[in-house]
Coordinates of all heavy atoms in Angstrom, one line a residue:
M1 N 45.4 -24.8 -65.0 CA 44.8 -26.1 -64.7 C 44.3 -26.7 -66.1 O 44.5 -27.8 -66.3 CB 43.6 -25.9 -63.7 CG 42.9 -27.2 -63.3 SD 41.5 -27.8 -64.3 CE 40.4 -26.6 -64.3
L2 N 43.6 -25.9 -66.9 CA 43.1 -26.4 -68.1 C 44.3 -26.9 -69.0 O 44.2 -27.9 -69.7 CB 42.3 -25.4 -68.8 CG 40.9 -25.1 -68.3 CD1 40.2 -24.0 -69.0 CD2 40.0 -26.4 -68.2
E3 N 45.4 -26.1 -69.0 CA 46.5 -26.5 -69.8 C 47.1 -27.8 -69.3 O 47.5 -28.7 -70.2 CB 47.6 -25.4 -69.7 CG 48.8 -25.6 -70.6 CD 49.8 -24.4 -70.5 OE1 49.3 -23.3 -70.6 OE2 50.9 -24.7 -70.4
R4 N 47.2 -28.0 -68.0 CA 47.7 -29.3 -67.6 C 46.8 -30.5 -67.9 O 47.2 -31.5 -68.3 CB 47.9 -29.3 -66.0 CG 49.2 -28.5 -65.6 CD 49.4 -28.5 -64.2 NE 48.4 -27.6 -63.6 CZ 48.1 -27.5 -62.3 NH1 48.7 -28.3 -61.5 NH2 47.2 -26.7 -61.9
V5 N 45.5 -30.3 -67.7 CA 44.5 -31.4 -67.9 C 44.5 -31.6 -69.4 O 44.5 -32.7 -69.9 CB 43.1 -30.9 -67.4 CG1 42.1 -31.9 -67.9 CG2 43.1 -30.9 -65.9
S6 N 44.5 -30.6 -70.3 CA 44.4 -30.8 -71.7 C 45.6 -31.5 -72.3 O 45.5 -32.2 -73.3 CB 44.0 -29.5 -72.5 OG 45.1 -28.6 -72.3
S7 N 46.7 -31.3 -71.7 CA 47.9 -31.9 -72.2 C 47.9 -33.5 -71.9 O 48.6 -34.3 -72.5 CB 49.2 -31.4 -71.5 OG 49.2 -31.6 -70.1
S8 N 47.1 -33.9 -70.9 CA 46.9 -35.3 -70.7 C 45.8 -36.0 -71.5 O 45.6 -37.1 -71.4 CB 46.6 -35.5 -69.2 OG 47.6 -35.0 -68.4
A9 N 45.0 -35.1 -72.1 CA 43.8 -35.7 -72.8 C 44.1 -36.1 -74.2 O 45.0 -35.5 -74.9 CB 42.7 -34.6 -72.8
S10 N 43.3 -37.0 -74.7 CA 43.5 -37.4 -76.1 C 42.8 -36.4 -77.0 O 41.9 -35.6 -76.5 CB 42.8 -38.8 -76.3 OG 41.4 -38.6 -76.2
S11 N 43.1 -36.4 -78.3 CA 42.5 -35.5 -79.2 C 40.9 -35.7 -79.3 O 40.2 -34.8 -79.4 CB 43.1 -35.6 -80.5 OG 43.0 -36.9 -81.1
E12 N 40.6 -37.0 -79.1 CA 39.1 -37.3 -79.1 C 38.4 -36.7 -77.9 O 37.3 -36.2 -78.0 CB 38.9 -38.9 -79.2 CG 37.5 -39.2 -79.4 CD 36.9 -38.8 -80.8 OE1 37.6 -38.7 -81.8 OE2 35.7 -38.4 -80.8
A13 N 39.0 -36.8 -76.7 CA 38.4 -36.3 -75.5 C 38.4 -34.7 -75.7 O 37.3 -34.1 -75.2 CB 39.2 -36.6 -74.3
L14 N 39.4 -34.1 -76.2 CA 39.3 -32.6 -76.4 C 38.2 -32.2 -77.4 O 37.5 -31.3 -77.2 CB 40.7 -32.1 -76.8 CG 41.8 -32.2 -75.8 CD1 43.1 -31.9 -76.5 CD2 41.5 -31.3 -74.6
K15 N 38.1 -33.0 -78.4 CA 37.1 -32.7 -79.5 C 35.7 -32.8 -78.9 O 34.8 -32.0 -79.1 CB 37.2 -33.7 -80.6 CG 36.3 -33.2 -81.8 CD 36.2 -34.3 -82.9 CE 37.6 -34.6 -83.4 NZ 37.5 -35.6 -84.6
T16 N 35.4 -33.8 -78.0 CA 34.2 -34.1 -77.4 C 33.9 -32.8 -76.5 O 32.7 -32.3 -76.5 CB 34.2 -35.4 -76.6 OG1 34.4 -36.4 -77.5 CG2 32.8 -35.6 -75.9
A17 N 34.8 -32.5 -75.7 CA 34.7 -31.3 -74.8 C 34.4 -30.1 -75.5 O 33.5 -29.2 -75.1 CB 35.9 -31.2 -73.9
L18 N 35.0 -29.8 -76.6 CA 34.8 -28.6 -77.4 C 33.4 -28.5 -78.0 O 32.9 -27.4 -78.3 CB 35.9 -28.4 -78.5 CG 37.2 -28.1 -78.1 CD1 38.3 -28.3 -79.2 CD2 37.3 -26.8 -77.4
Y19 N 32.8 -29.7 -78.3 CA 31.4 -29.8 -78.9 C 30.3 -29.6 -77.8 O 29.2 -29.6 -78.2 CB 31.2 -31.0 -79.7 CG 31.9 -31.0 -81.0 CD1 32.9 -31.8 -81.3 CD2 31.5 -30.0 -82.0 CE1 33.6 -31.8 -82.5 CE2 32.2 -29.9 -83.2 CZ 33.2 -30.8 -83.5 OH 33.8 -30.7 -84.7
S20 N 30.7 -29.4 -76.5 CA 29.7 -29.3 -75.5 C 29.0 -28.0 -75.6 O 29.5 -27.0 -76.2 CB 30.3 -29.3 -74.1 OG 30.8 -30.5 -73.8
L21 N 27.7 -27.9 -75.2 CA 26.9 -26.8 -75.4 C 27.4 -25.5 -74.6 O 27.2 -24.4 -75.0 CB 25.4 -27.1 -75.0 CG 24.7 -28.1 -75.9 CD1 23.4 -28.4 -75.3 CD2 24.7 -27.7 -77.3
T22 N 28.0 -25.8 -73.4 CA 28.5 -24.7 -72.6 C 30.0 -24.9 -72.2 O 30.5 -26.1 -72.3 CB 27.7 -24.6 -71.3 OG1 27.9 -25.8 -70.5 CG2 26.2 -24.5 -71.5
D23 N 30.6 -23.9 -71.8 CA 32.0 -24.0 -71.4 C 32.1 -24.9 -70.1 O 33.0 -25.8 -70.1 CB 32.6 -22.6 -71.0 CG 32.7 -21.7 -72.2 OD1 32.7 -22.2 -73.3 OD2 32.8 -20.4 -72.0
V24 N 31.2 -24.7 -69.2 CA 31.3 -25.5 -68.0 C 31.0 -27.1 -68.4 O 31.7 -27.9 -67.9 CB 30.2 -25.1 -67.0 CG1 30.1 -26.1 -65.8 CG2 30.5 -23.7 -66.5
G25 N 30.1 -27.3 -69.2 CA 29.8 -28.6 -69.7 C 31.1 -29.2 -70.4 O 31.3 -30.4 -70.3
G26 N 31.8 -28.4 -71.2 CA 33.0 -28.8 -71.8 C 34.1 -29.3 -70.8 O 34.7 -30.3 -71.0
V27 N 34.3 -28.4 -69.9 CA 35.3 -28.7 -68.7 C 34.8 -30.0 -68.1 O 35.6 -31.0 -67.8 CB 35.5 -27.6 -67.8 CG1 36.3 -28.1 -66.6 CG2 36.1 -26.4 -68.6
A28 N 33.5 -30.2 -67.7 CA 33.1 -31.3 -67.0 C 33.2 -32.6 -67.9 O 33.6 -33.6 -67.4 CB 31.6 -31.1 -66.6
T29 N 32.9 -32.4 -69.1 CA 33.0 -33.6 -70.0 C 34.5 -34.1 -70.1 O 34.8 -35.2 -70.0 CB 32.5 -33.2 -71.4 OG1 31.1 -32.9 -71.3 CG2 32.7 -34.3 -72.4
L30 N 35.3 -33.1 -70.3 CA 36.8 -33.4 -70.4 C 37.3 -34.0 -69.2 O 37.9 -35.1 -69.2 CB 37.6 -32.1 -70.6 CG 39.2 -32.3 -70.7 CD1 39.5 -33.2 -71.9 CD2 39.8 -30.9 -70.9
L31 N 36.9 -33.6 -68.0 CA 37.4 -34.2 -66.7 C 36.7 -35.5 -66.5 O 37.5 -36.5 -66.0 CB 37.1 -33.3 -65.5 CG 37.8 -32.0 -65.5 CD1 37.4 -31.1 -64.4 CD2 39.4 -32.2 -65.5
S32 N 35.5 -35.7 -66.8 CA 34.9 -37.0 -66.6 C 35.4 -38.0 -67.6 O 35.5 -39.2 -67.3 CB 33.4 -36.9 -66.7 OG 33.0 -36.4 -68.0
D33 N 35.9 -37.6 -68.8 CA 36.4 -38.4 -69.8 C 37.8 -38.9 -69.3 O 38.3 -40.0 -69.6 CB 36.5 -37.8 -71.2 CG 35.2 -37.8 -71.9 OD1 34.3 -38.4 -71.4 OD2 35.2 -37.1 -73.0
L34 N 38.6 -38.1 -68.6 CA 39.9 -38.4 -68.2 C 39.9 -39.3 -67.0 O 40.8 -40.0 -66.8 CB 40.7 -37.1 -67.9 CG 41.0 -36.3 -69.1 CD1 41.7 -35.0 -68.6 CD2 41.8 -37.0 -70.1
A35 N 38.9 -39.2 -66.2 CA 38.9 -39.9 -64.9 C 39.0 -41.5 -65.0 O 39.9 -42.1 -64.4 CB 37.6 -39.7 -64.1
P36 N 38.3 -42.1 -66.0 CA 38.5 -43.6 -66.2 C 39.9 -44.0 -66.8 O 40.2 -45.1 -66.8 CB 37.4 -44.0 -67.0 CG 36.7 -42.8 -67.5 CD 37.2 -41.6 -66.8
L37 N 40.6 -43.0 -67.3 CA 41.9 -43.3 -68.0 C 43.1 -43.3 -67.1 O 44.2 -43.3 -67.5 CB 42.1 -42.3 -69.1 CG 41.0 -42.3 -70.3 CD1 41.4 -41.2 -71.2 CD2 40.9 -43.7 -70.9
D38 N 42.8 -43.3 -65.8 CA 43.8 -43.2 -64.7 C 44.8 -42.1 -64.9 O 45.9 -42.1 -64.5 CB 44.7 -44.6 -64.8 CG 43.9 -45.8 -64.4 OD1 43.0 -45.6 -63.5 OD2 44.1 -46.9 -65.0
V39 N 44.2 -40.9 -65.4 CA 45.0 -39.7 -65.4 C 44.8 -39.1 -64.0 O 43.8 -39.1 -63.4 CB 44.4 -38.7 -66.5 CG1 45.1 -37.4 -66.3 CG2 44.5 -39.3 -67.8
D40 N 46.0 -38.8 -63.4 CA 46.0 -38.3 -62.1 C 45.5 -36.9 -62.0 O 46.3 -36.0 -62.1 CB 47.4 -38.5 -61.4 CG 47.4 -38.1 -59.9 OD1 46.3 -38.0 -59.3 OD2 48.5 -37.7 -59.5
L41 N 44.2 -36.7 -61.8 CA 43.7 -35.4 -61.7 C 43.8 -34.8 -60.3 O 43.6 -33.6 -60.1 CB 42.2 -35.4 -62.0 CG 41.9 -35.9 -63.5 CD1 40.3 -36.0 -63.7 CD2 42.4 -34.9 -64.5
S42 N 44.3 -35.6 -59.3 CA 44.4 -35.1 -58.0 C 45.6 -34.0 -57.9 O 45.6 -33.2 -57.0 CB 44.7 -36.2 -57.0 OG 45.9 -36.8 -57.3
S43 N 46.4 -34.0 -58.9 CA 47.5 -33.0 -58.9 C 46.9 -31.7 -59.2 O 47.5 -30.6 -58.9 CB 48.6 -33.4 -59.9 OG 48.1 -33.4 -61.2
V44 N 45.8 -31.7 -59.9 CA 45.1 -30.4 -60.3 C 44.3 -29.9 -59.0 O 44.4 -28.8 -58.6 CB 44.1 -30.6 -61.5 CG1 43.4 -29.3 -61.7 CG2 45.0 -31.1 -62.7
D45 N 43.4 -30.8 -58.5 CA 42.7 -30.5 -57.3 C 42.1 -31.9 -56.8 O 41.7 -32.7 -57.6 CB 41.5 -29.7 -57.7 CG 40.7 -29.2 -56.5 OD1 40.3 -30.1 -55.7 OD2 40.4 -28.0 -56.4
P46 N 42.3 -32.2 -55.5 CA 41.8 -33.5 -55.0 C 40.3 -33.8 -55.2 O 39.9 -34.9 -55.3 CB 42.2 -33.5 -53.5 CG 42.5 -32.1 -53.2 CD 42.8 -31.3 -54.4
F47 N 39.5 -32.7 -55.4 CA 38.1 -32.9 -55.5 C 37.6 -32.7 -57.1 O 36.5 -32.7 -57.3 CB 37.4 -32.0 -54.7 CG 37.7 -32.1 -53.2 CD1 38.4 -31.2 -52.6 CD2 37.2 -33.2 -52.5 CE1 38.7 -31.4 -51.2 CE2 37.5 -33.5 -51.2 CZ 38.2 -32.5 -50.5
V48 N 38.6 -32.7 -58.0 CA 38.2 -32.3 -59.3 C 37.2 -33.4 -60.0 O 36.4 -33.0 -60.7 CB 39.4 -32.0 -60.2 CG1 40.2 -33.3 -60.5 CG2 39.0 -31.2 -61.5
E49 N 37.5 -34.6 -59.7 CA 36.6 -35.6 -60.3 C 35.2 -35.5 -59.8 O 34.2 -35.6 -60.6 CB 37.2 -37.0 -60.1 CG 38.5 -37.3 -60.9 CD 39.0 -38.7 -60.6 OE1 38.2 -39.6 -60.5 OE2 40.3 -38.7 -60.5
A50 N 35.0 -35.3 -58.5 CA 33.7 -35.1 -57.9 C 33.0 -33.9 -58.4 O 31.8 -33.9 -58.7 CB 33.8 -35.1 -56.4
M51 N 33.8 -32.7 -58.6 CA 33.2 -31.5 -59.1 C 32.7 -31.7 -60.5 O 31.7 -31.3 -61.0 CB 34.2 -30.4 -59.0 CG 34.4 -30.0 -57.6 SD 35.4 -28.5 -57.4 CE 37.0 -29.1 -57.9
A52 N 33.6 -32.4 -61.4 CA 33.3 -32.7 -62.8 C 32.0 -33.5 -62.8 O 31.0 -33.2 -63.7 CB 34.4 -33.4 -63.5
L53 N 31.9 -34.6 -62.0 CA 30.7 -35.4 -62.1 C 29.4 -34.5 -61.6 O 28.4 -34.6 -62.3 CB 30.9 -36.6 -61.1 CG 29.6 -37.6 -61.0 CD1 29.3 -38.2 -62.3 CD2 30.0 -38.6 -60.0
G54 N 29.6 -33.7 -60.6 CA 28.6 -32.8 -60.2 C 28.1 -31.9 -61.2 O 26.9 -31.7 -61.5
A55 N 29.0 -31.3 -61.9 CA 28.7 -30.4 -63.0 C 28.0 -31.0 -64.1 O 27.1 -30.5 -64.7 CB 30.0 -29.7 -63.5
A56 N 28.4 -32.2 -64.4 CA 27.8 -33.0 -65.5 C 26.4 -33.4 -65.2 O 25.4 -33.3 -65.9 CB 28.6 -34.2 -65.9
M57 N 26.1 -33.7 -63.9 CA 24.8 -34.1 -63.4 C 23.9 -32.8 -63.4 O 22.7 -32.9 -63.8 CB 24.9 -34.7 -61.9 CG 25.4 -36.0 -62.0 SD 25.6 -36.6 -60.3 CE 25.3 -38.4 -60.5
K58 N 24.4 -31.7 -62.9 CA 23.7 -30.5 -62.9 C 23.2 -30.1 -64.4 O 22.1 -29.8 -64.6 CB 24.5 -29.3 -62.4 CG 24.6 -29.4 -60.8 CD 25.5 -28.2 -60.4 CE 25.8 -28.2 -59.0 NZ 26.6 -27.1 -58.5
Q59 N 24.1 -30.3 -65.3 CA 23.8 -29.9 -66.7 C 22.7 -30.9 -67.2 O 21.8 -30.5 -67.9 CB 25.0 -30.0 -67.6 CG 24.8 -29.6 -69.0 CD 24.5 -28.1 -69.1 OE1 25.1 -27.3 -68.5 NE2 23.5 -27.8 -70.0
E60 N 22.9 -32.2 -66.9 CA 21.8 -33.1 -67.3 C 20.5 -32.9 -66.7 O 19.5 -32.9 -67.4 CB 22.3 -34.5 -66.9 CG 21.4 -35.6 -67.5 CD 22.0 -37.0 -67.0 OE1 23.2 -37.2 -67.1 OE2 21.1 -37.8 -66.7
L61 N 20.4 -32.4 -65.4 CA 19.2 -32.1 -64.8 C 18.6 -30.9 -65.4 O 17.4 -30.8 -65.7 CB 19.4 -31.8 -63.3 CG 19.6 -33.2 -62.5 CD1 20.1 -32.7 -61.0 CD2 18.4 -34.0 -62.4
L62 N 19.4 -29.8 -65.7 CA 18.9 -28.7 -66.3 C 18.4 -28.9 -67.7 O 17.3 -28.4 -68.1 CB 20.0 -27.6 -66.3 CG 19.7 -26.3 -67.0 CD1 18.6 -25.6 -66.1 CD2 20.8 -25.4 -67.0
T63 N 19.0 -29.7 -68.5 CA 18.6 -30.1 -69.8 C 17.2 -30.8 -69.8 O 16.3 -30.6 -70.5 CB 19.7 -30.8 -70.6 OG1 20.9 -30.1 -70.6 CG2 19.3 -31.2 -72.0
S64 N 17.2 -31.9 -68.8 CA 16.0 -32.7 -68.8 C 14.8 -31.8 -68.3 O 13.6 -32.2 -68.6 CB 16.2 -33.9 -67.9 OG 16.4 -33.5 -66.6
A65 N 15.0 -30.7 -67.5 CA 14.0 -29.9 -67.0 C 13.5 -28.9 -68.1 O 12.6 -28.1 -67.8 CB 14.4 -29.2 -65.7
G66 N 14.1 -28.9 -69.3 CA 13.7 -28.0 -70.3 C 14.7 -26.7 -70.4 O 14.4 -25.8 -71.2
G67 N 15.8 -26.7 -69.7 CA 16.7 -25.6 -69.8 C 16.4 -24.5 -68.8 O 15.5 -24.5 -68.1
G68 N 17.3 -23.5 -68.8 CA 17.2 -22.4 -67.9 C 16.3 -21.3 -68.4 O 15.9 -21.4 -69.6
L69 N 16.1 -20.3 -67.6 CA 15.3 -19.2 -68.0 C 16.1 -18.0 -68.5 O 17.3 -17.9 -68.1 CB 14.6 -18.6 -66.9 CG 13.5 -19.6 -66.2 CD1 12.8 -19.0 -65.0 CD2 12.4 -20.0 -67.2
T70 N 15.7 -17.2 -69.5 CA 16.4 -16.1 -69.9 C 16.3 -15.0 -68.9 O 15.3 -15.0 -68.0 CB 15.8 -15.5 -71.2 OG1 14.5 -15.1 -71.0 CG2 15.8 -16.6 -72.3
S71 N 17.1 -13.9 -68.9 CA 17.0 -12.8 -68.0 C 15.6 -12.1 -68.1 O 15.0 -11.8 -67.1 CB 18.0 -11.7 -68.3 OG 19.3 -12.3 -68.1
G72 N 15.0 -12.1 -69.2 CA 13.7 -11.5 -69.5 C 12.6 -12.3 -68.8 O 11.7 -11.7 -68.1
Q73 N 12.7 -13.6 -68.9 CA 11.7 -14.5 -68.2 C 11.8 -14.3 -66.7 O 10.8 -14.3 -66.0 CB 12.0 -16.0 -68.6 CG 11.6 -16.2 -70.1 CD 12.0 -17.6 -70.5 OE1 13.1 -18.0 -70.2 NE2 11.2 -18.2 -71.4
V74 N 13.1 -14.3 -66.2 CA 13.2 -14.1 -64.8 C 12.7 -12.8 -64.3 O 12.1 -12.6 -63.2 CB 14.7 -14.3 -64.4 CG1 15.0 -13.9 -62.9 CG2 15.2 -15.7 -64.6
S75 N 13.0 -11.7 -65.1 CA 12.6 -10.4 -64.7 C 11.0 -10.3 -64.6 O 10.5 -9.7 -63.7 CB 13.1 -9.3 -65.6 OG 12.5 -9.4 -66.9
R76 N 10.3 -10.9 -65.5 CA 8.9 -11.0 -65.5 C 8.4 -11.7 -64.3 O 7.4 -11.3 -63.7 CB 8.3 -11.5 -66.8 CG 8.5 -10.5 -68.0 CD 7.7 -11.0 -69.2 NE 8.3 -12.1 -69.8 CZ 9.4 -12.2 -70.6 NH1 10.0 -11.0 -70.8 NH2 9.8 -13.2 -71.2
A77 N 9.0 -12.8 -64.0 CA 8.5 -13.7 -62.9 C 8.8 -12.9 -61.5 O 8.0 -13.1 -60.7 CB 9.4 -15.0 -62.9
L78 N 9.9 -12.2 -61.5 CA 10.2 -11.5 -60.2 C 9.5 -10.1 -60.1 O 9.5 -9.4 -59.0 CB 11.6 -11.4 -60.0 CG 12.4 -12.8 -59.8 CD1 13.9 -12.5 -59.6 CD2 11.8 -13.5 -58.5
G79 N 9.1 -9.6 -61.3 CA 8.6 -8.2 -61.3 C 9.7 -7.2 -61.2 O 9.4 -6.1 -60.6
I80 N 10.8 -7.4 -61.7 CA 11.9 -6.5 -61.7 C 12.5 -6.3 -63.1 O 12.1 -7.1 -64.0 CB 13.1 -6.9 -60.8 CG1 13.7 -8.3 -61.1 CG2 12.6 -7.0 -59.3 CD1 14.8 -8.7 -60.2
T81 N 13.4 -5.4 -63.3 CA 13.9 -5.2 -64.7 C 14.9 -6.3 -65.0 O 15.5 -6.9 -64.1 CB 14.6 -3.8 -64.8 OG1 15.8 -3.8 -64.0 CG2 13.7 -2.7 -64.4
R82 N 15.2 -6.4 -66.3 CA 16.2 -7.3 -66.8 C 17.6 -6.9 -66.2 O 18.4 -7.8 -65.8 CB 16.3 -7.4 -68.2 CG 17.2 -8.5 -68.8 CD 17.4 -8.5 -70.3 NE 17.8 -7.1 -70.7 CZ 19.0 -6.6 -70.6 NH1 20.0 -7.2 -69.9 NH2 19.3 -5.3 -71.0
Q83 N 17.9 -5.6 -66.1 CA 19.2 -5.1 -65.6 C 19.3 -5.5 -64.1 O 20.4 -5.9 -63.7 CB 19.2 -3.6 -65.8 CG 19.4 -3.2 -67.3 CD 18.0 -3.1 -68.0 OE1 16.9 -3.4 -67.4 NE2 18.0 -2.8 -69.3
A84 N 18.2 -5.5 -63.4 CA 18.3 -5.8 -62.0 C 18.6 -7.4 -61.8 O 19.4 -7.7 -61.0 CB 17.0 -5.5 -61.3
V85 N 18.1 -8.2 -62.8 CA 18.3 -9.6 -62.8 C 19.9 -9.7 -63.0 O 20.6 -10.6 -62.4 CB 17.5 -10.3 -63.8 CG1 18.0 -11.8 -64.0 CG2 16.1 -10.2 -63.4
D86 N 20.4 -9.0 -64.0 CA 21.8 -9.1 -64.4 C 22.7 -8.7 -63.2 O 23.7 -9.4 -62.9 CB 22.1 -8.3 -65.6 CG 21.5 -8.9 -66.9 OD1 21.2 -10.1 -66.9 OD2 21.3 -8.2 -67.8
K87 N 22.3 -7.7 -62.5 CA 23.1 -7.2 -61.3 C 23.0 -8.2 -60.2 O 24.1 -8.5 -59.6 CB 22.5 -5.9 -60.7 CG 22.9 -4.7 -61.6 CD 22.2 -3.4 -61.1 CE 22.5 -2.3 -61.9 NZ 22.0 -1.0 -61.4
R88 N 21.8 -8.9 -60.0 CA 21.8 -9.9 -59.0 C 22.7 -11.1 -59.4 O 23.3 -11.7 -58.5 CB 20.4 -10.4 -58.8 CG 19.5 -9.4 -58.0 CD 18.1 -10.0 -57.8 NE 17.2 -9.1 -57.2 CZ 16.1 -9.4 -56.6 NH1 15.7 -10.6 -56.7 NH2 15.4 -8.5 -56.1
R89 N 22.7 -11.5 -60.6 CA 23.5 -12.6 -61.1 C 25.0 -12.2 -60.9 O 25.7 -13.1 -60.4 CB 23.2 -12.8 -62.6 CG 23.9 -14.0 -63.1 CD 23.7 -14.3 -64.5 NE 22.4 -13.9 -65.0 CZ 22.2 -13.4 -66.2 NH1 23.1 -13.4 -67.1 NH2 20.9 -13.0 -66.5
M90 N 25.4 -11.0 -61.2 CA 26.8 -10.7 -61.0 C 27.2 -10.7 -59.5 O 28.3 -11.1 -59.2 CB 27.0 -9.3 -61.5 CG 26.9 -9.1 -63.0 SD 28.0 -10.1 -64.0 CE 29.4 -9.0 -63.9
R91 N 26.3 -10.5 -58.6 CA 26.6 -10.5 -57.2 C 26.3 -11.8 -56.6 O 26.5 -12.1 -55.4 CB 25.6 -9.5 -56.4 CG 25.9 -8.1 -56.7 CD 25.2 -7.1 -55.7 NE 23.9 -7.6 -55.3 CZ 22.7 -7.2 -55.7 NH1 22.6 -6.3 -56.6 NH2 21.6 -7.7 -55.3
H92 N 25.8 -12.8 -57.4 CA 25.4 -14.1 -57.0 C 24.3 -14.0 -55.9 O 24.3 -14.8 -55.0 CB 26.6 -14.9 -56.4 CG 27.7 -15.1 -57.5 ND1 27.6 -16.0 -58.5 CD2 28.9 -14.5 -57.7 CE1 28.7 -15.9 -59.3 NE2 29.4 -15.0 -58.8
A93 N 23.4 -13.0 -56.0 CA 22.4 -12.9 -55.1 C 21.1 -13.5 -55.6 O 20.9 -13.8 -56.8 CB 22.2 -11.3 -54.8
R94 N 20.1 -13.7 -54.7 CA 18.8 -14.2 -55.1 C 17.8 -13.1 -55.3 O 17.7 -12.1 -55.0 CB 18.4 -15.2 -54.0 CG 19.3 -16.4 -54.0 CD 18.8 -17.3 -52.9 NE 19.8 -18.3 -52.8 CZ 19.6 -19.6 -53.1 NH1 18.5 -20.0 -53.6 NH2 20.6 -20.5 -53.0

């Protein structure tokens, strides 16, 4: 999917995406930059534009809230080990 999308992107759009702070932010930036250029992203996924916008909004909200917590900060807040936090993250558990 990234190969197909990046082949439609300009070098400027690719450069902007590569300078994003996170991989997800880079993909979201790339997709949101392509949307107004009438690049048919529906061939990749019919919801890709909405997902890219959502990812960009989540990143903006996280940044404006001061960023995420480290594993150590979460472990102290929950009263568990950092390794337990990492295991929960891997399982996508709360």
Side-chain angles (χ1 to χ4, degrees):
M1 182 274 299
L2 288 175
E3 188 175 309
R4 283 183 286 166
V5 169
S6 62
S7 68
S8 302
S10 69
S11 60
E12 189 61 36
L14 290 171
K15 187 188 305 182
T16 302
L18 289 172
Y19 284 115
S20 292
L21 297 176
T22 64
D23 292 341
V24 172
V27 171
T29 299
L30 180 60
L31 294 176
S32 63
D33 284 351
L34 292 177
L37 300 176
D38 294 327
V39 174
D40 183 19
L41 298 175
S42 64
S43 64
V44 176
D45 185 312
F47 300 108
V48 74
E49 291 179 42
M51 289 186 291
L53 181 59
M57 289 177 148
K58 284 179 187 178
Q59 186 64 43
E60 186 177 319
L61 287 170
L62 183 60
T63 301
S64 68
L69 299 176
T70 66
S71 295
Q73 292 169 321
V74 172
S75 71
R76 285 188 293 281
L78 296 177
I80 60 177
T81 66
R82 185 191 52 75
Q83 290 83 359
V85 171
D86 291 338
K87 285 180 183 179
R88 288 182 181 195
R89 185 178 333 146
M90 296 296 281
R91 291 189 328 256
H92 301 285
R94 294 180 187 250

